[in-house]
mmCIF file with all atom_site columns, all heavy atoms in Angstrom:
data_model
loop_
_atom_site.group_PDB
_atom_site.id
_atom_site.type_symbol
_atom_site.label_atom_id
_atom_site.label_alt_id
_atom_site.label_comp_id
_atom_site.label_asym_id
_atom_site.label_entity_id
_atom_site.label_seq_id
_atom_site.pdbx_PDB_ins_code
_atom_site.Cartn_x
_atom_site.Cartn_y
_atom_site.Cartn_z
_atom_site.occupancy
_atom_site.B_iso_or_equiv
_atom_site.pdbx_formal_charge
_atom_site.auth_seq_id
_atom_site.auth_comp_id
_atom_site.auth_asym_id
_atom_site.auth_atom_id
_atom_site.pdbx_PDB_model_num
ATOM 1  N N   . GLY B 1 163 ? -14.363 12.183 -13.531 1.00 0.00 ? 163 GLY B N   1
ATOM 2  C CA  . GLY B 1 163 ? -13.378 13.241 -13.350 1.00 0.00 ? 163 GLY B CA  1
ATOM 3  C C   . GLY B 1 163 ? -12.137 12.974 -14.184 1.00 0.00 ? 163 GLY B C   1
ATOM 4  O O   . GLY B 1 163 ? -11.988 11.912 -14.782 1.00 0.00 ? 163 GLY B O   1
ATOM 5  N N   . THR B 1 164 ? -11.238 13.931 -14.227 1.00 0.00 ? 164 THR B N   1
ATOM 6  C CA  . THR B 1 164 ? -9.942  13.690 -14.885 1.00 0.00 ? 164 THR B CA  1
ATOM 7  C C   . THR B 1 164 ? -9.068  12.808 -13.988 1.00 0.00 ? 164 THR B C   1
ATOM 8  O O   . THR B 1 164 ? -7.950  12.439 -14.359 1.00 0.00 ? 164 THR B O   1
ATOM 9  C CB  . THR B 1 164 ? -9.194  15.015 -15.164 1.00 0.00 ? 164 THR B CB  1
ATOM 10 O OG1 . THR B 1 164 ? -9.190  15.792 -13.960 1.00 0.00 ? 164 THR B OG1 1
ATOM 11 C CG2 . THR B 1 164 ? -9.860  15.800 -16.261 1.00 0.00 ? 164 THR B CG2 1
ATOM 12 N N   . ASN B 1 165 ? -9.591  12.460 -12.838 1.00 0.00 ? 165 ASN B N   1
ATOM 13 C CA  . ASN B 1 165 ? -9.102  11.449 -11.905 1.00 0.00 ? 165 ASN B CA  1
ATOM 14 C C   . ASN B 1 165 ? -7.640  11.012 -12.067 1.00 0.00 ? 165 ASN B C   1
ATOM 15 O O   . ASN B 1 165 ? -7.360  10.016 -12.728 1.00 0.00 ? 165 ASN B O   1
ATOM 16 C CB  . ASN B 1 165 ? -10.021 10.226 -12.016 1.00 0.00 ? 165 ASN B CB  1
ATOM 17 C CG  . ASN B 1 165 ? -11.447 10.553 -11.613 1.00 0.00 ? 165 ASN B CG  1
ATOM 18 O OD1 . ASN B 1 165 ? -11.720 11.655 -11.155 1.00 0.00 ? 165 ASN B OD1 1
ATOM 19 N ND2 . ASN B 1 165 ? -12.335 9.599  -11.746 1.00 0.00 ? 165 ASN B ND2 1
ATOM 20 N N   . PRO B 1 166 ? -6.752  11.713 -11.416 1.00 0.00 ? 166 PRO B N   1
ATOM 21 C CA  . PRO B 1 166 ? -5.333  11.371 -11.578 1.00 0.00 ? 166 PRO B CA  1
ATOM 22 C C   . PRO B 1 166 ? -4.894  10.183 -10.716 1.00 0.00 ? 166 PRO B C   1
ATOM 23 O O   . PRO B 1 166 ? -5.573  9.802  -9.755  1.00 0.00 ? 166 PRO B O   1
ATOM 24 C CB  . PRO B 1 166 ? -4.636  12.639 -11.085 1.00 0.00 ? 166 PRO B CB  1
ATOM 25 C CG  . PRO B 1 166 ? -5.570  13.194 -10.054 1.00 0.00 ? 166 PRO B CG  1
ATOM 26 C CD  . PRO B 1 166 ? -6.960  12.873 -10.551 1.00 0.00 ? 166 PRO B CD  1
ATOM 27 N N   . HIS B 1 167 ? -3.779  9.618  -11.101 1.00 0.00 ? 167 HIS B N   1
ATOM 28 C CA  . HIS B 1 167 ? -3.065  8.610  -10.298 1.00 0.00 ? 167 HIS B CA  1
ATOM 29 C C   . HIS B 1 167 ? -1.629  9.105  -10.157 1.00 0.00 ? 167 HIS B C   1
ATOM 30 O O   . HIS B 1 167 ? -1.066  9.635  -11.123 1.00 0.00 ? 167 HIS B O   1
ATOM 31 C CB  . HIS B 1 167 ? -3.015  7.262  -11.010 1.00 0.00 ? 167 HIS B CB  1
ATOM 32 C CG  . HIS B 1 167 ? -4.336  6.600  -11.182 1.00 0.00 ? 167 HIS B CG  1
ATOM 33 N ND1 . HIS B 1 167 ? -4.817  5.656  -10.322 1.00 0.00 ? 167 HIS B ND1 1
ATOM 34 C CD2 . HIS B 1 167 ? -5.285  6.761  -12.128 1.00 0.00 ? 167 HIS B CD2 1
ATOM 35 C CE1 . HIS B 1 167 ? -6.008  5.246  -10.728 1.00 0.00 ? 167 HIS B CE1 1
ATOM 36 N NE2 . HIS B 1 167 ? -6.312  5.901  -11.824 1.00 0.00 ? 167 HIS B NE2 1
ATOM 37 N N   . SER B 1 168 ? -1.041  8.885  -9.015  1.00 0.00 ? 168 SER B N   1
ATOM 38 C CA  . SER B 1 168 ? 0.357   9.281  -8.791  1.00 0.00 ? 168 SER B CA  1
ATOM 39 C C   . SER B 1 168 ? 1.084   8.178  -8.034  1.00 0.00 ? 168 SER B C   1
ATOM 40 O O   . SER B 1 168 ? 0.632   7.768  -6.966  1.00 0.00 ? 168 SER B O   1
ATOM 41 C CB  . SER B 1 168 ? 0.424   10.562 -7.950  1.00 0.00 ? 168 SER B CB  1
ATOM 42 O OG  . SER B 1 168 ? -0.468  11.542 -8.440  1.00 0.00 ? 168 SER B OG  1
ATOM 43 N N   . TRP B 1 169 ? 2.167   7.703  -8.641  1.00 0.00 ? 169 TRP B N   1
ATOM 44 C CA  . TRP B 1 169 ? 3.018   6.704  -8.000  1.00 0.00 ? 169 TRP B CA  1
ATOM 45 C C   . TRP B 1 169 ? 4.424   7.293  -7.916  1.00 0.00 ? 169 TRP B C   1
ATOM 46 O O   . TRP B 1 169 ? 4.876   7.942  -8.864  1.00 0.00 ? 169 TRP B O   1
ATOM 47 C CB  . TRP B 1 169 ? 3.171   5.459  -8.868  1.00 0.00 ? 169 TRP B CB  1
ATOM 48 C CG  . TRP B 1 169 ? 2.000   4.580  -9.102  1.00 0.00 ? 169 TRP B CG  1
ATOM 49 C CD1 . TRP B 1 169 ? 1.696   3.428  -8.427  1.00 0.00 ? 169 TRP B CD1 1
ATOM 50 C CD2 . TRP B 1 169 ? 0.992   4.696  -10.140 1.00 0.00 ? 169 TRP B CD2 1
ATOM 51 N NE1 . TRP B 1 169 ? 0.567   2.844  -8.985  1.00 0.00 ? 169 TRP B NE1 1
ATOM 52 C CE2 . TRP B 1 169 ? 0.120   3.598  -10.013 1.00 0.00 ? 169 TRP B CE2 1
ATOM 53 C CE3 . TRP B 1 169 ? 0.743   5.627  -11.146 1.00 0.00 ? 169 TRP B CE3 1
ATOM 54 C CZ2 . TRP B 1 169 ? -0.980  3.393  -10.860 1.00 0.00 ? 169 TRP B CZ2 1
ATOM 55 C CZ3 . TRP B 1 169 ? -0.362  5.437  -11.990 1.00 0.00 ? 169 TRP B CZ3 1
ATOM 56 C CH2 . TRP B 1 169 ? -1.197  4.329  -11.835 1.00 0.00 ? 169 TRP B CH2 1
ATOM 57 N N   . ALA B 1 170 ? 5.137   7.024  -6.829  1.00 0.00 ? 170 ALA B N   1
ATOM 58 C CA  . ALA B 1 170 ? 6.562   7.368  -6.817  1.00 0.00 ? 170 ALA B CA  1
ATOM 59 C C   . ALA B 1 170 ? 7.348   6.260  -6.138  1.00 0.00 ? 170 ALA B C   1
ATOM 60 O O   . ALA B 1 170 ? 6.841   5.558  -5.259  1.00 0.00 ? 170 ALA B O   1
ATOM 61 C CB  . ALA B 1 170 ? 6.809   8.707  -6.132  1.00 0.00 ? 170 ALA B CB  1
ATOM 62 N N   . PHE B 1 171 ? 8.579   6.110  -6.583  1.00 0.00 ? 171 PHE B N   1
ATOM 63 C CA  . PHE B 1 171 ? 9.482   5.066  -6.093  1.00 0.00 ? 171 PHE B CA  1
ATOM 64 C C   . PHE B 1 171 ? 10.748  5.722  -5.549  1.00 0.00 ? 171 PHE B C   1
ATOM 65 O O   . PHE B 1 171 ? 11.229  6.708  -6.124  1.00 0.00 ? 171 PHE B O   1
ATOM 66 C CB  . PHE B 1 171 ? 9.841   4.107  -7.235  1.00 0.00 ? 171 PHE B CB  1
ATOM 67 C CG  . PHE B 1 171 ? 8.684   3.263  -7.683  1.00 0.00 ? 171 PHE B CG  1
ATOM 68 C CD1 . PHE B 1 171 ? 7.734   3.765  -8.570  1.00 0.00 ? 171 PHE B CD1 1
ATOM 69 C CD2 . PHE B 1 171 ? 8.522   1.968  -7.209  1.00 0.00 ? 171 PHE B CD2 1
ATOM 70 C CE1 . PHE B 1 171 ? 6.650   2.992  -8.976  1.00 0.00 ? 171 PHE B CE1 1
ATOM 71 C CE2 . PHE B 1 171 ? 7.449   1.189  -7.615  1.00 0.00 ? 171 PHE B CE2 1
ATOM 72 C CZ  . PHE B 1 171 ? 6.508   1.702  -8.495  1.00 0.00 ? 171 PHE B CZ  1
ATOM 73 N N   . PRO B 1 172 ? 11.304  5.168  -4.469  1.00 0.00 ? 172 PRO B N   1
ATOM 74 C CA  . PRO B 1 172 ? 12.494  5.782  -3.845  1.00 0.00 ? 172 PRO B CA  1
ATOM 75 C C   . PRO B 1 172 ? 13.777  5.498  -4.618  1.00 0.00 ? 172 PRO B C   1
ATOM 76 O O   . PRO B 1 172 ? 14.682  4.854  -4.116  1.00 0.00 ? 172 PRO B O   1
ATOM 77 C CB  . PRO B 1 172 ? 12.509  5.136  -2.459  1.00 0.00 ? 172 PRO B CB  1
ATOM 78 C CG  . PRO B 1 172 ? 11.860  3.809  -2.630  1.00 0.00 ? 172 PRO B CG  1
ATOM 79 C CD  . PRO B 1 172 ? 10.824  3.984  -3.721  1.00 0.00 ? 172 PRO B CD  1
#
Side-chain angles (χ1 to χ4, degrees):
Chain B
T164 49
N165 297 354
H167 294 264
S168 313
W169 292 263
F171 291 82

